[in-house]
Amino acid sequence: QQQVKQSPQSLIVQKGGISIINCAYENTAFDYFPWYQQFPGKGPALLIAIRPDVSEKKEGRFTISFNKSAKQFSLHIMDSQPGDSATYFCAASIGGGADGLTFGKGTHLIIQP
Amino acid sequence: KAGVTQTPRYLIKTRGQQVTLSCSPISGHRSVSWYQQTPGQGLQFLFEYFSETQRNKGNFPGRFSGRQFSNSRSEMNVSTLELGDSALYLCASSFSRGQGETQYFGPGTRLLVL
């Protein structure tokens, strides 16, 4: 049972455009929703995270939008740059990650110059 | 501060063998989690250790085991290897198990089972 569904699988965006990746979850006990960025040959690195008591969190060009009633959250990358080309994973956990992160399947993002 | 280190980085084994992977967390971090990453299943949680005790376990067979030492270093063992165990094994550490604790991932050990 896939508890976190991520879409799209792959995404091509022009430089300067907005990249949008969506995730939906099933377990209403989830209370921590991080996004990770992974470059080839590297481990995932935390990009930004949100809790369900806020609807939006912004850090630089990265914004998480959270819709608790719809059980959905999304990552927006503004002014996308070629250096943003990577695989992005959404995740969810109970208790801040101590019980293990449940990851989406990932989105391979390519920013075309 | 040095990041999470994992050794070895690459490993080739044959079916039926066993393997031990090592993880050194960031200095001061006491929680270590292990994940398996495959193209088909993505990133899946294996188990988490804190203060030398396994606190949580994912849905993996008993062939997968681990331990944590008093210096927080952790090892993961897979016995009776199967072809499907070929994957990137990632270790992540965090300072504690509290709310909002960031998990920092290492570069992983890529295991190929022939």
Side-chain angles (χ1 to χ4, degrees), chain A residues 41-42 52 62 78 105:
Chain A
K42 304 285 187 180
F62 301 92
M78 312 299 287
K105 289 292 182 72

Side-chain angles (χ1 to χ4, degrees), chain A residues 10-19 77 79-86 88 108-113:
Chain A
S10 60
L11 181 62
I12 300 175
V13 175
Q14 295 297 315
K15 178 183 175 182
I18 302 173
S19 303
I77 305 175
D79 188 25
S80 299
Q81 298 297 312
D84 297 330
S85 297
Y88 292 81
H108 184 51
L109 175 65
I110 296 173
I111 307 300
Q112 289 187 332

Side-chain angles (χ1 to χ4, degrees), chain B residues 31-97:
Chain B
S31 173
V32 174
S33 297
W34 288 88
Y35 292 83
Q36 181 195 64
Q37 184 174 23
T38 60
Q41 298 300 316
L43 280 150
Q44 292 184 289
F45 172 71
L46 279 156
F47 29 65
E48 185 238 348
Y49 286 86
F50 182 82
S51 293
E52 303 176 62
T53 302
Q54 187 181 91
R55 304 289 176 158
N56 287 291
K57 190 177 194 304
N59 189 24
F60 278 83
R63 299 185 298 108
F64 292 82
S65 63
R67 60 178 176 169
Q68 186 181 34
F69 302 95
S70 58
N71 61 358
S72 295
R73 191 177 69 85
S74 177
E75 286 183 347
M76 186 192 115
N77 184 274
V78 188
S79 62
T80 319
L81 283 166
E82 299 177 359
L83 295 178
D85 297 333
S86 295
L88 179 67
Y89 290 90
L90 292 158
C91 166
S93 77
S94 61
F95 178 72
S96 69
R97 307 184 74 240

Side-chain angles (χ1 to χ4, degrees), chain A residues 18-80:
Chain A
I18 302 173
S19 303
I20 302 173
I21 304 171
N22 301 298
C23 284
Y25 63 97
E26 299 166 5
N27 189 345
T28 55
F30 286 143
D31 61 3
Y32 177 67
F33 302 88
W35 284 88
Y36 280 82
Q37 179 189 57
Q38 186 177 29
F39 293 104
K42 304 285 187 180
L46 180 68
L47 204 55
I48 187 173
I50 198 168
R51 297 198 175 282
D53 53 346
V54 297
S55 60
E56 186 175 281
K57 183 174 181 180
K58 183 177 180 179
E59 289 184 3
R61 296 185 294 109
F62 301 92
T63 300
I64 298 180
S65 296
F66 187 84
N67 186 329
K68 187 175 181 178
S69 60
K71 293 187 288 185
Q72 295 175 345
F73 59 110
S74 60
L75 175 70
H76 291 62
I77 305 175
M78 312 299 287
D79 188 25
S80 299

Side-chain angles (χ1 to χ4, degrees), chain B residues 4-26:
Chain B
V4 177
T5 57
Q6 293 186 244
T7 56
R9 291 294 310 277
Y10 304 92
L11 207 48
I12 299 175
K13 292 285 188 179
T14 56
R15 278 182 300 174
Q17 287 187 311
Q18 74 166 18
V19 66
T20 299
L21 312 181
S22 180
C23 171
S24 292
I26 292 172

